[in-house]
Amino acid sequence: MATLSVQPVIEAGVTPTYASAASGGDVAPNDGTMFVHVKNEHASATRTITFTPSTTSVTDDNYGAVTKAAIALTVAAGGDEFIGPFKTTLWNNGSGQVAITYSDSGADIKLAALSFDKDKIA
């Protein structure tokens, strides 16, 4: 399991660096502004990337007991998807990270963990 570095999106732009998915999964530090860009570089097969919340049951003042399910993001062959941001109270593990796992042991998957905080852009 590898820890992805979070790259800030700034006013001048960002050219993200992509990491290959680790076969045992990855984690990304999350401050509530983090999101992930996932690319499937396989020529013909879809890939599923699963984001697992650390808290699966919460009580909401308006809705009562609510279950938070994992998100299974399917990325088409040659496609890419963005997912996030992730609410820290639901998604972060004890180390402040979001857990990510992959179908096919992460074969042909590239990721970039990005963050965008509108309050930090001049």
Side-chain angles (χ1 to χ4, degrees), residues 2-122:
T3 301
L4 302 174
S5 296
V6 178
Q7 304 164 73
V9 177
I10 60 172
E11 186 174 43
V14 63
T15 302
T17 300
Y18 291 85
S20 295
S23 62
D26 291 300
V27 292
N30 180 37
D31 65 358
T33 66
M34 189 272 297
F35 59 100
V36 179
H37 184 208
V38 181
K39 299 192 307 184
N40 177 4
E41 296 185 339
H42 195 279
S44 61
T46 62
R47 296 290 187 251
T48 302
I49 298 87
T50 304
F51 296 81
T52 305
S54 65
T55 302
T56 57
S57 181
V58 295
T59 301
D60 182 84
D61 291 338
N62 296 316
Y63 302 106
V66 183
T67 300
K68 181 66 176 172
I71 296 173
L73 179 68
T74 302
V75 183
D80 65 304
E81 300 282 342
F82 286 90
I83 186 167
F86 300 92
K87 190 170 190 77
T88 58
T89 55
L90 296 173
W91 293 96
N92 285 12
N93 62 21
S95 299
Q97 303 163 322
V98 173
I100 309 165
T101 55
Y102 314 100
S103 65
D104 275 346
S105 302
D108 304 309
I109 297 171
K110 302 282 187 193
L111 304 106
L114 305 164
S115 68
F116 178 76
D117 186 345
K118 65 178 179 52
D119 295 326
K120 290 186 179 178
I121 294 181

